[in-house]
Amino acid sequence: MSPAPHKAIATVWRMESTRLIGGLMRLVRDLSLAEDLAQDALVAALEQWPQGGVPDNPGAWLMAAAKHRAIDRLRRNDMAQRKHEQLGVEQELHELLQAPDGEQLDDSVGDDVLRLIFIACHPVLSSEARAALTLRLIAGLTTDEIARAFLQPEPTIAQRIVRAKRTLTNANVPFEVPSAAELAQRLSSVLGVIYLIFNEGYAATAGDDLMRPQLCEEAMRLGRILVALMPREAEAQGLLALMEIQASRAAARVDANGEPILLLEQDRARWNPLLIRRGLAALARTEELGGGAGFYALQAAIAACHARARAAADTDWLGIAALYGALAQVSPSPVIELNRAVAVSMAFGPAAGLVIADALQDEASLANYHLLPSVRGDLLAKLGRRGEAAAEFRRAAALTRNTREQALLSRRADECEVSRQ
């Protein structure tokens, strides 16, 4: 197969696989079977599209192909079943044949993908298993990408996903819309999953692009559906506010060649004013609901400080440092502390930030986290310690799997070394 058709099929698969699995799950009520059928449809596409071309509606094509394979499986199974069981099989065949290809049925959640998230966030699973499984199903992330998002070893995540699927199957979890009470119970996990999907889209773990815009768009779409479903949930509003404001910078984050542009160097005229207004409105609703001190609301408030600054020099770094301090109290973590180090350095000088960053060097969960040496490199460079800064930038470049970040970090290391001469 030539590279062009293969790339087109890969793109279609990234865009359609989640909806395909969600739609199939609704039809066959079995997660493993739904995934198998989706993969069968992908194989059919790989066989047929290079000769016939990508269809006008690839999602509907994939669904139709998956349904035909489901029907074939049911008919094969029927061969071994007793006569009185045939009615059930025939009813399943009828339902599969009648189900529209590539279309979605109405329900109170209103979206197969969001419903799939709620199913994967079932209380029978641990919180870690819920997030890992949903990131695999919904965002299409690899186990390696999920492992890096969680700062966990890849085999641990792989085993977690396998066990989660087995647990859902053994518990006979139905593919149905949870009740209102159950929705509320699962909300925290669902918000966490949408947040991680957005983060992977905003700063891709690996690959040749700094961002994966389709993941950001999918996360925001799910966030808007969730807010419409649960309009008085402050944290849902807070997450939506955060995503809208962060996404507003997308066009300014890379240059014409796709190279990263650091926040303080971005052309703010390219920030999307509509997304900023929408994000600030969602943040205001969060505060009206009494959720201004929530995990997502605090991050949205930090993003809002940047959005409100007409120029980088106008940024309220004292306010941002204070917000990170509050965030560290609400949800203490090494990553939040590292972000606080950056804010403190901008508010009180690089030496103050370096003290915080240095205290994280023995944190096991950050051992392979490229942003720790990246931040330390930046702070050391500002303090004139160019040799140490170059070494940190080199270490950060070796740790990241994103080629755009690798190039930026290597360039900064080179600059530090040149300035020493």
Side-chain angles (χ1 to χ4, degrees):
M1 183 189 299
S2 66
H6 188 279
K7 185 173 182 179
I9 292 170
T11 299
V12 169
W13 179 252
R14 283 197 302 270
M15 294 173 62
E16 300 290 347
S17 61
T18 301
R19 291 182 179 85
L20 180 62
I21 293 171
L24 289 168
M25 182 70 177
R26 166 166 43 80
L27 295 174
V28 302
R29 311 279 170 155
D30 183 301
L31 177 56
S32 295
L33 177 57
E35 287 191 286
D36 288 346
L37 293 171
Q39 289 293 329
D40 287 348
L42 175 61
V43 171
L46 289 169
E47 292 171 348
Q48 298 179 37
W49 291 4
Q51 287 74 38
V54 178
D56 292 337
N57 189 339
W61 191 101
L62 289 167
M63 178 61 81
K67 278 171 51 180
H68 285 125
R69 279 152 182 75
I71 290 167
D72 289 343
R73 290 193 185 207
L74 283 169
R75 283 176 173 154
R76 286 198 302 270
N77 292 342
D78 187 32
M79 298 282 290
Q81 291 184 356
R82 293 173 298 175
K83 187 70 178 177
H84 74 271
E85 292 178 318
Q86 285 184 355
L87 286 175
V89 173
E90 289 168 3
Q91 179 62 29
E92 287 185 73
L93 287 171
H94 176 75
E95 291 174 357
L96 281 169
L97 289 167
Q98 294 301 312
D101 297 332
E103 295 181 17
Q104 298 176 355
L105 303 181
D106 262 343
D107 55 48
S108 63
V109 172
D111 185 271
D112 274 339
V113 177
L114 188 59
R115 176 164 54 179
L116 188 57
I117 292 179
F118 273 105
I119 299 303
C121 289
H122 195 281
V124 73
L125 301 176
S126 68
S127 59
E128 295 84 2
R130 296 174 203 166
L133 177 60
T134 313
L135 285 171
R136 186 74 186 93
L137 290 176
I138 308 304
L141 303 191
T142 65
T143 52
D144 174 58
E145 289 169 336
I146 299 169
R148 292 174 73 84
F150 281 116
L151 305 179
Q152 294 275 329
E154 185 176 351
T156 300
I157 296 298
Q159 292 170 9
R160 188 175 294 170
I161 292 171
V162 169
R163 285 196 299 267
K165 293 178 183 178
R166 187 182 303 127
T167 300
L168 287 175
T169 300
N170 293 341
N172 294 315
V173 173
F175 189 68
E176 61 186 23
V177 181
S179 67
E182 290 174 321
L183 286 177
Q185 291 172 358
R186 301 185 203 179
L187 179 62
S188 177
S189 291
V190 171
L191 291 174
V193 166
I194 295 174
Y195 176 66
L196 287 172
I197 292 172
F198 181 85
N199 284 346
E200 177 60 27
Y202 193 73
T205 302
D208 297 328
D209 298 313
L210 180 69
M211 295 180 290
R212 297 171 66 178
Q214 73 278 7
L215 289 184
C216 289
E217 290 165 7
E218 180 69 1
M220 287 190 291
R221 186 181 71 84
L222 294 171
R224 290 164 189 153
I225 293 171
L226 191 58
V227 163
L229 178 68
M230 310 174 81
R232 298 199 61 77
E233 288 291 345
E235 277 290 73
Q237 296 279 4
L239 176 58
L240 182 58
L242 171 62
M243 294 190 295
E244 301 269 23
I245 298 172
Q246 292 285 81
S248 72
R249 305 177 200 155
R253 294 186 69 223
V254 294
D255 63 18
N257 298 316
E259 297 299 325
I261 301 175
L262 299 176
L263 174 61
L264 298 183
E265 298 170 5
Q266 290 172 14
D267 178 1
R268 299 187 178 214
R270 299 189 67 200
W271 288 4
N272 188 314
L274 175 60
L275 287 176
I276 291 174
R277 287 196 299 271
R278 291 172 64 156
L280 293 177
L283 179 58
R285 287 193 294 274
T286 305
E287 292 167 348
E288 289 168 5
L289 291 168
F295 176 69
Y296 301 111
L298 286 169
Q299 292 181 77
I302 291 168
C305 287
H306 292 294
R308 291 183 177 118
R310 287 183 171 272
D314 299 330
T315 306
D316 179 11
W317 286 108
L318 287 173
I320 290 174
L323 286 166
Y324 269 117
L327 186 59
Q329 294 294 316
V330 169
S331 181
S333 81
V335 172
I336 289 174
E337 194 67 2
L338 182 60
N339 282 305
R340 190 173 75 85
V342 175
V344 167
S345 76
M346 296 301 296
F348 303 104
L354 187 60
V355 170
I356 299 171
D358 284 350
L360 298 170
Q361 289 194 89
D362 294 329
E363 178 60 49
S365 64
L366 298 183
N368 296 311
Y369 189 55
H370 73 284
L371 290 181
L372 175 56
S374 175
V375 168
R376 292 195 72 252
D378 184 66
L379 297 176
L380 288 165
K382 289 177 178 177
L383 290 169
R385 296 160 63 177
R386 303 287 181 177
E388 295 171 82
E392 288 296 277
F393 285 133
R394 297 280 183 216
R395 188 160 74 91
L399 288 174
T400 184
R401 299 277 296 281
N402 186 285
T403 57
R404 299 292 184 178
E405 285 189 313
Q406 286 173 354
L408 173 63
L409 291 164
S410 296
R411 186 164 62 249
R412 295 202 69 188
D414 291 342
E415 291 168 355
C416 286
E417 289 173 347
V418 168
S419 67
R420 292 181 65 207
Q421 298 172 0

